[in-house]
Amino acid sequence: MNKTRNIFISHHGKDDRHVQGLKDRLTDQGYTIRNSSVDSTKHTDVRPSDKQIARTLKDGISWAGTFICLIGRETHSRPWVDYEIKQAYLQGKTIVGIYLHGCKDDVNLPESFKRYGGAVLGWNSIDKVCDAIDGKPIPVENPDSKPRPPVNTVIRVKCNKKR
């Protein structure tokens, strides 16, 4: 089975090492991850305009099959993370949150995640992250990977395509 996946990993720039860590952990699970978010592997010396950044992020989210938001202590205060989550919602992407390792108890969800996001998983729930990437249903968790009720109840509807 081909396990190549296109994902967008939304994150606060200071949490970039966790993006690389997540990609490594998914690689250890047999996946080939193609991340379309802007991380340290795509750094340029010249900062693009906000308009160019918005376009790049929107295109990257469109290309990805799964949208993952890494949630750390400062993620909730990052405007580009809010923009990315909203774009993922507008494009109909499954939005999965992952609490960063060591962020137990003092983490706020970004406002846009509270509004548009789906399940949130603990850092150690790599099997459930794999399920999310494969499109399987996943539970909602606390930062310590224990189950918790969802912030919002989302009703998902699948439409049948006519041929």
Side-chain angles (χ1 to χ4, degrees), residues 138-161:
I138 53 173
V140 180
E141 296 181 340
N142 287 314
D144 62 0
S145 301
K146 292 181 181 171
R148 74 162 175 84
V151 174
N152 298 313
T153 302
V154 177
I155 300 171
R156 305 249 182 238
V157 177
K158 279 196 168 186
C159 298
N160 294 325
K161 291 182 180 177

mmCIF file of all heavy atoms in Angstrom, residues 138-161:
data_model
loop_
_atom_site.group_PDB
_atom_site.id
_atom_site.type_symbol
_atom_site.label_atom_id
_atom_site.label_comp_id
_atom_site.label_asym_id
_atom_site.label_seq_id
_atom_site.Cartn_x
_atom_site.Cartn_y
_atom_site.Cartn_z
ATOM 1 N N ILE A 138 -11.436 9.675 14.289
ATOM 2 C CA ILE A 138 -10.552 9.686 15.455
ATOM 3 C C ILE A 138 -11.252 10.369 16.623
ATOM 4 O O ILE A 138 -12.100 11.230 16.445
ATOM 5 C CB ILE A 138 -9.220 10.402 15.155
ATOM 6 C CG1 ILE A 138 -9.477 11.796 14.572
ATOM 7 C CG2 ILE A 138 -8.346 9.583 14.235
ATOM 8 C CD1 ILE A 138 -8.240 12.628 14.417
ATOM 9 N N PRO A 139 -10.878 9.983 17.846
ATOM 10 C CA PRO A 139 -11.502 10.601 19.030
ATOM 11 C C PRO A 139 -10.851 11.946 19.359
ATOM 12 O O PRO A 139 -9.824 12.305 18.802
ATOM 13 C CB PRO A 139 -11.186 9.581 20.133
ATOM 14 C CG PRO A 139 -9.884 8.976 19.698
ATOM 15 C CD PRO A 139 -9.942 8.927 18.192
ATOM 16 N N VAL A 140 -11.450 12.674 20.271
ATOM 17 C CA VAL A 140 -10.899 13.928 20.772
ATOM 18 C C VAL A 140 -10.195 13.625 22.084
ATOM 19 O O VAL A 140 -10.690 12.848 22.895
ATOM 20 C CB VAL A 140 -12.018 14.963 21.000
ATOM 21 C CG1 VAL A 140 -11.460 16.271 21.517
ATOM 22 C CG2 VAL A 140 -12.787 15.177 19.708
ATOM 23 N N GLU A 141 -9.010 14.246 22.287
ATOM 24 C CA GLU A 141 -8.225 13.951 23.477
ATOM 25 C C GLU A 141 -7.773 15.212 24.183
ATOM 26 O O GLU A 141 -7.734 16.295 23.608
ATOM 27 C CB GLU A 141 -6.962 13.156 23.090
ATOM 28 C CG GLU A 141 -7.221 11.818 22.500
ATOM 29 C CD GLU A 141 -5.940 11.074 22.174
ATOM 30 O OE1 GLU A 141 -4.884 11.710 22.051
ATOM 31 O OE2 GLU A 141 -6.022 9.852 22.035
ATOM 32 N N ASN A 142 -7.373 15.038 25.438
ATOM 33 C CA ASN A 142 -6.688 16.080 26.201
ATOM 34 C C ASN A 142 -5.203 16.033 25.842
ATOM 35 O O ASN A 142 -4.748 15.074 25.214
ATOM 36 C CB ASN A 142 -6.863 15.825 27.703
ATOM 37 C CG ASN A 142 -8.251 16.125 28.169
ATOM 38 O OD1 ASN A 142 -8.821 17.157 27.821
ATOM 39 N ND2 ASN A 142 -8.806 15.220 28.942
ATOM 40 N N PRO A 143 -4.426 17.033 26.273
ATOM 41 C CA PRO A 143 -2.994 16.999 25.979
ATOM 42 C C PRO A 143 -2.294 15.738 26.477
ATOM 43 O O PRO A 143 -1.277 15.336 25.942
ATOM 44 C CB PRO A 143 -2.454 18.234 26.707
ATOM 45 C CG PRO A 143 -3.603 19.162 26.767
ATOM 46 C CD PRO A 143 -4.811 18.287 26.923
ATOM 47 N N ASP A 144 -2.836 15.094 27.520
ATOM 48 C CA ASP A 144 -2.210 13.880 28.044
ATOM 49 C C ASP A 144 -2.697 12.618 27.334
ATOM 50 O O ASP A 144 -2.472 11.517 27.805
ATOM 51 C CB ASP A 144 -2.450 13.770 29.546
ATOM 52 C CG ASP A 144 -3.937 13.673 29.884
ATOM 53 O OD1 ASP A 144 -4.782 13.681 28.957
ATOM 54 O OD2 ASP A 144 -4.253 13.589 31.079
ATOM 55 N N SER A 145 -3.371 12.760 26.198
ATOM 56 C CA SER A 145 -3.883 11.670 25.361
ATOM 57 C C SER A 145 -5.080 10.943 25.955
ATOM 58 O O SER A 145 -5.478 9.907 25.453
ATOM 59 C CB SER A 145 -2.777 10.652 25.018
ATOM 60 O OG SER A 145 -1.726 11.279 24.329
ATOM 61 N N LYS A 146 -5.681 11.472 27.026
ATOM 62 C CA LYS A 146 -6.897 10.871 27.572
ATOM 63 C C LYS A 146 -8.107 11.468 26.854
ATOM 64 O O LYS A 146 -8.090 12.640 26.478
ATOM 65 C CB LYS A 146 -6.990 11.134 29.070
ATOM 66 C CG LYS A 146 -5.916 10.405 29.858
ATOM 67 C CD LYS A 146 -6.038 10.655 31.333
ATOM 68 C CE LYS A 146 -4.915 9.913 32.054
ATOM 69 N NZ LYS A 146 -4.828 10.275 33.456
ATOM 70 N N PRO A 147 -9.190 10.682 26.685
ATOM 71 C CA PRO A 147 -10.366 11.175 25.956
ATOM 72 C C PRO A 147 -11.007 12.396 26.629
ATOM 73 O O PRO A 147 -10.952 12.539 27.846
ATOM 74 C CB PRO A 147 -11.336 9.990 26.002
ATOM 75 C CG PRO A 147 -10.515 8.825 26.378
ATOM 76 C CD PRO A 147 -9.336 9.323 27.132
ATOM 77 N N ARG A 148 -11.586 13.290 25.828
ATOM 78 C CA ARG A 148 -12.332 14.429 26.347
ATOM 79 C C ARG A 148 -13.483 14.733 25.394
ATOM 80 O O ARG A 148 -13.440 14.365 24.220
ATOM 81 C CB ARG A 148 -11.462 15.660 26.510
ATOM 82 C CG ARG A 148 -11.099 16.353 25.218
ATOM 83 C CD ARG A 148 -10.618 17.780 25.487
ATOM 84 N NE ARG A 148 -10.165 18.402 24.271
ATOM 85 C CZ ARG A 148 -10.964 19.004 23.386
ATOM 86 N NH1 ARG A 148 -12.251 19.031 23.571
ATOM 87 N NH2 ARG A 148 -10.480 19.550 22.306
ATOM 88 N N PRO A 149 -14.513 15.410 25.876
ATOM 89 C CA PRO A 149 -15.619 15.770 24.979
ATOM 90 C C PRO A 149 -15.173 16.842 23.995
ATOM 91 O O PRO A 149 -14.315 17.664 24.327
ATOM 92 C CB PRO A 149 -16.695 16.297 25.920
ATOM 93 C CG PRO A 149 -16.004 16.605 27.194
ATOM 94 C CD PRO A 149 -14.755 15.796 27.246
ATOM 95 N N PRO A 150 -15.731 16.876 22.789
ATOM 96 C CA PRO A 150 -15.348 17.894 21.811
ATOM 97 C C PRO A 150 -15.790 19.291 22.245
ATOM 98 O O PRO A 150 -16.756 19.441 22.984
ATOM 99 C CB PRO A 150 -16.062 17.459 20.532
ATOM 100 C CG PRO A 150 -17.150 16.562 20.974
ATOM 101 C CD PRO A 150 -16.727 15.956 22.277
ATOM 102 N N VAL A 151 -15.073 20.333 21.774
ATOM 103 C CA VAL A 151 -15.433 21.723 22.050
ATOM 104 C C VAL A 151 -16.763 22.039 21.377
ATOM 105 O O VAL A 151 -17.650 22.638 21.967
ATOM 106 C CB VAL A 151 -14.340 22.688 21.552
ATOM 107 C CG1 VAL A 151 -14.772 24.132 21.706
ATOM 108 C CG2 VAL A 151 -13.034 22.435 22.281
ATOM 109 N N ASN A 152 -16.915 21.626 20.146
ATOM 110 C CA ASN A 152 -18.141 21.822 19.378
ATOM 111 C C ASN A 152 -18.576 20.484 18.812
ATOM 112 O O ASN A 152 -17.744 19.628 18.525
ATOM 113 C CB ASN A 152 -17.915 22.786 18.217
ATOM 114 C CG ASN A 152 -17.511 24.150 18.685
ATOM 115 O OD1 ASN A 152 -18.107 24.703 19.587
ATOM 116 N ND2 ASN A 152 -16.470 24.697 18.083
ATOM 117 N N THR A 153 -19.853 20.318 18.623
ATOM 118 C CA THR A 153 -20.350 19.125 17.961
ATOM 119 C C THR A 153 -20.454 19.423 16.473
ATOM 120 O O THR A 153 -21.123 20.366 16.071
ATOM 121 C CB THR A 153 -21.737 18.743 18.505
ATOM 122 O OG1 THR A 153 -21.615 18.531 19.913
ATOM 123 C CG2 THR A 153 -22.245 17.486 17.840
ATOM 124 N N VAL A 154 -19.748 18.651 15.684
ATOM 125 C CA VAL A 154 -19.733 18.851 14.242
ATOM 126 C C VAL A 154 -20.458 17.687 13.597
ATOM 127 O O VAL A 154 -20.150 16.527 13.874
ATOM 128 C CB VAL A 154 -18.290 18.928 13.701
ATOM 129 C CG1 VAL A 154 -18.287 19.055 12.184
ATOM 130 C CG2 VAL A 154 -17.537 20.059 14.363
ATOM 131 N N ILE A 155 -21.407 17.993 12.759
ATOM 132 C CA ILE A 155 -22.120 16.958 12.019
ATOM 133 C C ILE A 155 -21.522 16.891 10.627
ATOM 134 O O ILE A 155 -21.528 17.881 9.897
ATOM 135 C CB ILE A 155 -23.630 17.271 11.950
ATOM 136 C CG1 ILE A 155 -24.203 17.332 13.365
ATOM 137 C CG2 ILE A 155 -24.350 16.234 11.106
ATOM 138 C CD1 ILE A 155 -25.626 17.846 13.434
ATOM 139 N N ARG A 156 -20.921 15.771 10.289
ATOM 140 C CA ARG A 156 -20.303 15.586 8.976
ATOM 141 C C ARG A 156 -21.286 14.856 8.079
ATOM 142 O O ARG A 156 -21.906 13.880 8.466
ATOM 143 C CB ARG A 156 -19.023 14.781 9.091
ATOM 144 C CG ARG A 156 -18.032 15.377 10.062
ATOM 145 C CD ARG A 156 -16.851 15.916 9.321
ATOM 146 N NE ARG A 156 -15.905 16.441 10.291
ATOM 147 C CZ ARG A 156 -15.489 17.684 10.289
ATOM 148 N NH1 ARG A 156 -15.890 18.512 9.368
ATOM 149 N NH2 ARG A 156 -14.640 18.111 11.199
ATOM 150 N N VAL A 157 -21.409 15.333 6.860
ATOM 151 C CA VAL A 157 -22.315 14.738 5.887
ATOM 152 C C VAL A 157 -21.504 14.431 4.640
ATOM 153 O O VAL A 157 -20.738 15.265 4.162
ATOM 154 C CB VAL A 157 -23.453 15.714 5.545
ATOM 155 C CG1 VAL A 157 -24.356 15.123 4.486
ATOM 156 C CG2 VAL A 157 -24.238 16.077 6.788
ATOM 157 N N LYS A 158 -21.644 13.208 4.122
ATOM 158 C CA LYS A 158 -20.992 12.849 2.866
ATOM 159 C C LYS A 158 -22.019 12.924 1.758
ATOM 160 O O LYS A 158 -23.127 12.409 1.885
ATOM 161 C CB LYS A 158 -20.417 11.439 2.934
ATOM 162 C CG LYS A 158 -19.102 11.348 3.620
ATOM 163 C CD LYS A 158 -18.446 10.037 3.312
ATOM 164 C CE LYS A 158 -17.003 10.135 3.786
ATOM 165 N NZ LYS A 158 -16.238 8.981 3.426
ATOM 166 N N CYS A 159 -21.666 13.582 0.693
ATOM 167 C CA CYS A 159 -22.551 13.690 -0.455
ATOM 168 C C CYS A 159 -22.202 12.599 -1.462
ATOM 169 O O CYS A 159 -21.030 12.296 -1.671
ATOM 170 C CB CYS A 159 -22.403 15.046 -1.122
ATOM 171 S SG CYS A 159 -22.860 16.410 -0.043
ATOM 172 N N ASN A 160 -23.195 12.010 -2.080
ATOM 173 C CA ASN A 160 -22.964 11.019 -3.122
ATOM 174 C C ASN A 160 -22.810 11.735 -4.447
ATOM 175 O O ASN A 160 -23.601 12.624 -4.779
ATOM 176 C CB ASN A 160 -24.136 10.037 -3.196
ATOM 177 C CG ASN A 160 -24.243 9.202 -1.938
ATOM 178 O OD1 ASN A 160 -23.242 8.857 -1.342
ATOM 179 N ND2 ASN A 160 -25.461 8.904 -1.538
ATOM 180 N N LYS A 161 -21.795 11.340 -5.191
ATOM 181 C CA LYS A 161 -21.575 11.932 -6.510
ATOM 182 C C LYS A 161 -22.398 11.165 -7.536
ATOM 183 O O LYS A 161 -22.432 9.940 -7.525
ATOM 184 C CB LYS A 161 -20.101 11.875 -6.895
ATOM 185 C CG LYS A 161 -19.230 12.765 -6.070
ATOM 186 C CD LYS A 161 -17.794 12.672 -6.554
ATOM 187 C CE LYS A 161 -16.923 13.573 -5.710
ATOM 188 N NZ LYS A 161 -15.512 13.459 -6.090
#
